[in-house]
Amino acid sequence: MRQAEEVTFGGSGLDRAADLRGDIPALAAALQAPGARSVVIWRGKPLVRGEAQADLLRLPLDHPLLAEARARPVLLGREAGAVVLAHDISCWEPEAPPGEGFLDQSVQVHPLAPEGARFVELRALLMALSPRDAELAATAKAILGWHDSHGFCARCGHASEVMMAGWQRVCPACGTHHFPRTDPVVIMLVTRGNSCLLGRSHGWPEGMFSCLAGFVEPGETMEAAVRREVMEETGVPVGAVRYMATQPWPWPSSLMMGCHAEALDTALTIDPVEIEAARWVSREELAQAFAGDHPEIKPARKGAIAHFLLRAWLADRLD
């Protein structure tokens, strides 16, 4: 798909500096260079400044805020020849606790942070960050989240140790190497004629509808996962399936594989455990929803791959 790299969190061309991860002398020298910087994450929220156009802050490595990190930083990559790290200060307890629900709209301001800086839920920044800032923030959130939930060896249960500048964990007891986890997910633009199939999950904001989606199971192809998930959730049989685009989705660490699927029928049999509702929506209705004029439907959030796929279908750009 020609527009595939327009999707949020992808396509910035970040140099991930894999050559430095195992080269301790070179990495040490890079950390001492004057341009070395770090992004800061608090419980999955990046430190940013600005609103409509937010900037992901990169702090110098001697900034006092970084001293509150609870573990060694992770190497994210290089920008203009200088390394960029990620520090996790999730042990900090702010006065303003995080919010709850689909979108955490609370912000937290650390007393040592630069003026105007605040921790913001990444989901609220989908359209506010530049492609590079979005990729760095998503990578930092995903890999720090992996470290937070994978501190022990899955083979023997012993505490593992961080290696390769944060891109591996190694068990000192049994020697097993563990690598960052990414979970494959299919998300489907299901169409038949002039209509597409949209669904909504339990707990979503009122009126919000999106493309159907689900995790790929072990031993399953992407195409088979599309057909299975659509059938399980809505009872609709699917024929041809083709890949469209991918999106790294750090909630906590998925790779959304966007597909176009052609439905063979329109009869719906909803599984109420899987989804709350589903409906066929015409192009005209979807255009009305995108314009904010539909009385019952709010489209997927801008920045999400579902919004990207639906917008491409409306514009007849599924090529």
Side-chain angles (χ1 to χ4, degrees):
M1 189 175 186
R2 290 197 298 267
Q3 298 81 31
E5 291 193 349
E6 296 175 6
V7 177
T8 305
F9 301 133
S12 85
L14 174 66
D15 174 6
R16 295 189 168 230
D19 57 299
L20 290 180
R21 295 175 186 174
D23 189 337
I24 295 177
L27 179 58
L31 295 177
Q32 296 299 318
R37 294 290 186 270
S38 184
V39 303
V40 188
I41 301 292
W42 177 79
R43 300 182 189 177
K45 292 184 174 185
L47 183 67
V48 300
R49 184 159 45 195
E51 296 186 11
Q53 293 296 319
D55 293 319
L56 179 71
L57 294 189
R58 298 151 174 79
L59 303 183
L61 301 190
D62 60 355
H63 195 283
L65 181 59
L66 303 185
E68 298 203 9
R70 61 182 178 180
R72 287 187 294 173
V74 172
L75 174 66
L76 298 182
R78 268 185 297 240
E79 288 186 310
V83 294
V84 182
L85 309 177
H87 279 76
D88 184 359
I89 66 162
S90 296
C91 55
W92 170 57
E93 293 292 343
E95 293 183 4
E100 299 179 352
F102 178 79
L103 175 61
D104 176 6
Q105 298 187 13
S106 68
V107 299
Q108 287 72 38
V109 178
H110 195 286
L112 297 179
E115 183 177 357
R118 67 207 195 285
F119 290 101
V120 180
E121 168 61 43
L122 190 53
R123 198 188 298 267
L125 298 169
L126 292 181
M127 300 302 293
L129 296 173
S130 70
R132 172 56 52 80
D133 284 2
E135 183 172 357
L136 283 170
T139 302
K141 176 175 179 176
I143 194 164
L144 291 175
W146 173 69
H147 282 293
D148 190 47
S149 61
H150 288 73
F152 295 87
C153 178
R155 181 177 296 275
C156 74
H158 196 281
S160 58
E161 298 176 352
V162 178
M163 303 291 287
M164 296 294 287
W167 290 89
Q168 285 187 36
R169 297 190 71 99
V170 178
C171 178
C174 69
T176 300
H177 289 238
H178 302 278
F179 300 89
R181 173 174 175 169
T182 298
D183 300 315
V185 179
V186 288
I187 182 164
M188 301 73 79
L189 171 64
V190 182
T191 64
R192 184 166 175 82
N194 192 51
S195 297
C196 67
L197 180 59
L198 300 182
R200 57 175 281 110
S201 293
H202 302 280
W204 278 9
E206 183 178 357
M208 179 180 171
F209 280 81
S210 185
C211 297
L212 303 179
F215 287 98
V216 180
E217 295 185 345
E220 188 174 46
T221 66
M222 177 179 67
E223 294 82 359
V226 168
R227 297 187 181 100
R228 174 183 55 78
E229 285 288 343
V230 176
M231 176 60 72
E232 288 177 355
E233 294 183 353
T234 67
V236 172
V238 164
V241 175
R242 62 184 177 122
Y243 162 80
M244 303 302 295
T246 58
Q247 180 178 45
W249 194 246
W251 282 279
S253 54
S254 297
L255 179 64
M256 307 290 288
M257 299 182 291
C259 300
H260 177 216
E262 297 178 13
L264 302 178
D265 197 356
T266 57
L268 297 174
T269 303
I270 306 300
D271 182 344
V273 176
E274 292 279 345
I275 59 176
E276 181 180 290
R279 61 189 292 175
W280 289 98
V281 178
S282 69
R283 284 180 186 265
E284 293 75 17
E285 282 187 288
L286 187 62
Q288 188 180 7
F290 267 60
D293 297 330
H294 198 287
E296 299 175 346
I297 299 175
K298 296 177 182 177
R301 295 177 60 84
K302 291 182 179 180
I305 192 173
H307 189 279
F308 172 83
L309 293 171
L310 291 167
R311 184 186 64 196
W313 180 65
L314 275 180
D316 196 23
R317 296 174 69 192
L318 294 180
D319 55 1

